[in-house]
Amino acid sequence: MRHYRISDQDPIKTKRLILTPLKAKQLAQLEQEEQDELLRGAIIEMRNKVSETFDQALWNTGWQITLKNGGQPIGLLGFHGAAVDQTVELGYDIKQEFRGNGYCQEAVKALCDWAFGCDGVYFISVLVPEHNAASNHVLEKLKFYRVESPVAGVTAWEIERHASAWTSIYMIFGVALGISFGQTLFRNMAVGLAIGIGAGLSLGSGLDAQDRANRKREHAPKKLNTPAEETKTN
């Protein structure tokens, strides 16, 4: 099993932000400083899980969002545990005074990109109160799609990792190698191309099929129309 230890992870840098996974001691300090009772409870839960799941701590800790320019902390985001059924759940919070500047969208995208580069993560889900129009708008802009919500009064969103494109990649390699080998080994470019394309198609399609198989879930939520789609159909 791949380890996701906090000590092994460098901060994630974006154009304007730095996302840093917090260790248990840092979470404890943040807990003392946090005034919001709900968020403080979430930080306590993170700290406990980080201590209990050392090798998988990156899926349980909070990632502090700081500005590159000045290093000021502006929020927190993180996952609610490692992937279950190829899916991880994401939560986030930006301090009130820093909202409306696109920081949330930038941070969420960066952490989603990181997660999709990890083993066994094909879907990321987010639950947002229906009345939180700003947060719902952020997810819509990031190409999340709505799914059936397990909680009343909450909008459920998901985003899926892009499908692999190994067939196209290996076809390109196959053509290049086929031309090279056709000229040098067979003295016939057509023969080389046929062999190269055939090999590329076989390898690429096999890897793409494996990707499709890996992302199948036992309990996939029902996908709903987005607000934009609903407008078009009404």
Side-chain angles (χ1 to χ4, degrees), residues 120-132:
V121 178
Y122 289 90
F123 300 88
I124 297 173
S125 68
V126 182
L127 297 177
V128 179
E130 291 178 352
H131 61 77
N132 192 336

Side-chain angles (χ1 to χ4, degrees), residues 20 35-36 53 76 85 90-91 93 95 109 112 114-115 127 130 134 138 141 198 212 215 225 227 231:
T20 306
Q35 300 298 313
D36 183 273
T53 60
L76 195 69
D85 204 13
L90 176 68
D93 182 74
K95 294 181 180 179
K109 182 182 185 305
C112 286
W114 174 85
L127 297 177
E130 291 178 352
V138 164
K141 289 177 67 175
R212 290 191 296 272
R215 67 181 62 223
N225 287 338
T231 300

Side-chain angles (χ1 to χ4, degrees), residues 129-171:
E130 291 178 352
H131 61 77
N132 192 336
S135 186
N136 283 305
H137 183 58
V138 164
L139 297 173
E140 190 174 4
K141 289 177 67 175
L142 287 171
K143 308 303 181 184
F144 277 72
Y145 53 84
R146 286 171 54 197
V147 295
E148 195 169 50
S149 177
V151 183
V154 171
T155 303
W157 298 87
E158 270 196 353
I159 191 169
E160 182 177 359
R161 186 163 87 183
H162 290 305
S164 66
W166 291 112
T167 300
S168 298
I169 294 171
Y170 275 97
M171 284 285 286

Side-chain angles (χ1 to χ4, degrees), residues 7-169:
S7 57
D8 295 335
Q9 177 65 45
D10 292 329
I12 298 172
K13 297 181 180 180
T14 69
K15 182 178 180 180
R16 299 178 296 169
L17 307 172
I18 299 175
L19 312 183
T20 306
L22 301 178
K23 298 179 180 179
K25 288 184 178 180
Q26 294 170 306
L27 288 168
Q29 179 62 39
L30 196 62
E31 173 193 333
Q32 297 301 318
E33 299 170 356
E34 182 56 52
Q35 300 298 313
D36 183 273
E37 184 176 346
L38 186 62
L39 185 54
R40 186 168 61 251
I43 294 171
I44 292 172
E45 184 176 359
M46 289 177 189
R47 176 171 55 80
N48 291 335
K49 287 187 176 180
V50 164
S51 300
E52 296 167 359
T53 60
F54 179 75
D55 286 344
Q56 299 293 309
L58 287 174
W59 298 113
N60 293 296
T61 192
W63 296 63
Q64 190 167 60
I65 309 168
T66 57
L67 296 177
K68 267 188 177 179
N69 186 11
Q72 187 172 8
I74 66 167
L76 195 69
L77 75 169
F79 299 100
H80 302 306
V84 176
D85 204 13
Q86 286 70 259
T87 307
V88 291
E89 184 180 342
L90 176 68
Y92 50 84
D93 182 74
I94 300 292
K95 294 181 180 179
Q96 183 68 42
E97 60 269 32
F98 295 101
R99 295 173 185 173
N101 296 294
Y103 295 137
C104 183
Q105 181 176 340
E106 190 171 330
V108 169
K109 182 182 185 305
L111 199 58
C112 286
D113 289 344
W114 174 85
F116 280 146
C118 297
D119 296 338
V121 178
Y122 289 90
F123 300 88
I124 297 173
S125 68
V126 182
L127 297 177
V128 179
E130 291 178 352
H131 61 77
N132 192 336
S135 186
N136 283 305
H137 183 58
V138 164
L139 297 173
E140 190 174 4
K141 289 177 67 175
L142 287 171
K143 308 303 181 184
F144 277 72
Y145 53 84
R146 286 171 54 197
V147 295
E148 195 169 50
S149 177
V151 183
V154 171
T155 303
W157 298 87
E158 270 196 353
I159 191 169
E160 182 177 359
R161 186 163 87 183
H162 290 305
S164 66
W166 291 112
T167 300
S168 298
I169 294 171

Side-chain angles (χ1 to χ4, degrees), residues 176-189 192-193 195-196:
L177 290 174
I179 292 174
S180 177
F181 289 153
Q183 292 175 332
T184 59
L185 296 179
F186 306 109
R187 304 294 182 183
N188 188 321
M189 190 180 297
L193 276 173
I195 294 174

